[in-house]
Amino acid sequence: CSEWKLSELAVLNKLKTPALIQKFIDSLAYDNPKDKYWSVRATLRSRAGDCMGGALVAACCLDRIGLGPPRVVGFEARNDDTHAVAVYQVNGLWGALGKSNFTLIRARDPVYRSLRELVMSYFDFYFNTKGEKSLVGYSKPFHLNKTGDAWMYADGEVDRELADIDKKKKTPIIPIARPSGKMLMQAPKYLLKA
């Protein structure tokens, strides 16, 4: 089915601003059974998702309110989990919405002049459980509509349709050889508790 059900529209029609979209994806339980990519429909039905599920819901909603096209940026990490956010632009400035168990790597207001500037706003807050800064790269925006509409309407997982997301070349955060871990400051203890 390539259209929304009334129950889905009842939810989607309420999400009229980036703030309301972020509040909704924050309310979803954090879960990803079987480590799969789930469609927007499947995430709405289960009321649960991981960062990609949240990014897909956010990208869909942003597009519905005129802040599309629906795009996702992937973050690459070393000794840590990867991450994904939905990105959008207002007057040429970049913002992002995201789902995470860690509050500091969720949303960003559209105040960043470039994609790199937006991604760098996550750098100091992207660290593993040892406090090591772990963000090492990011993808250019992946345009979801190039894959068709299964990412929205499929009844379940959409791994095959979104396989190219994981294949996108990542731009390194530090364009030269990465300094050893000793050259980067550890995340402060108060952030580890956040």
Side-chain angles (χ1 to χ4, degrees):
C1 176
S2 60
E3 59 183 50
W4 296 113
K5 298 174 183 174
L6 290 177
S7 60
E8 295 162 341
L9 283 173
V11 173
L12 295 171
N13 287 341
K14 293 177 185 174
L15 306 178
K16 298 178 181 181
T17 67
L20 289 172
I21 297 165
Q22 184 63 47
K23 185 176 179 180
F24 175 75
I25 61 175
D26 285 346
S27 75
L28 299 173
Y30 195 92
D31 189 24
N32 185 355
K34 302 178 186 169
D35 200 28
K36 301 273 187 187
Y37 292 153
W38 299 94
S39 71
V40 174
R41 171 166 283 149
T43 300
L44 290 174
R45 183 178 54 243
S46 69
R47 291 290 198 268
D50 62 355
C51 67
M52 184 58 78
L56 294 177
V57 169
C60 172
C61 293
L62 288 165
D63 190 40
R64 289 173 55 82
I65 63 170
L67 295 176
R71 298 171 289 178
V72 172
V73 168
F75 294 171
E76 183 177 7
R78 180 181 294 151
N79 299 321
D80 202 352
D81 293 331
T82 60
H83 189 46
V85 295
V87 295
Y88 65 104
Q89 290 177 278
V90 175
N91 297 325
L93 299 174
W94 289 86
L97 300 178
K99 172 91 180 138
S100 176
N101 274 339
F102 189 58
T103 58
L104 298 174
I105 60 170
R106 292 180 186 170
R108 297 292 188 269
D109 288 314
V111 298
Y112 300 96
R113 293 173 293 184
S114 69
L115 180 62
R116 178 174 173 77
E117 194 174 284
L118 169 70
V119 172
M120 291 308 293
S121 76
Y122 288 88
F123 182 76
D124 284 325
F125 305 106
Y126 203 113
F127 48 82
N128 62 24
T129 56
K130 295 178 184 176
E132 301 165 333
K133 291 178 183 162
S134 54
L135 184 59
V136 296
Y138 62 97
S139 69
K140 291 182 179 173
F142 183 86
H143 291 259
L144 292 163
N145 283 342
K146 290 183 178 179
T147 69
D149 62 9
W151 68 273
M152 290 185 289
Y153 301 119
D155 283 324
E157 58 95 3
V158 288
D159 283 6
R160 189 178 74 247
E161 292 84 353
L162 299 181
D164 288 342
I165 286 179
D166 295 325
K167 296 175 187 172
K168 266 198 96 73
K169 183 180 177 196
K170 303 295 189 285
T171 300
I173 291 289
I174 302 170
I176 56 173
R178 183 173 174 88
S180 71
K182 293 179 182 177
M183 293 188 68
L184 296 176
M185 291 186 283
Q186 293 274 107
K189 291 187 189 310
Y190 66 85
L191 282 181
L192 288 170
K193 294 177 184 177

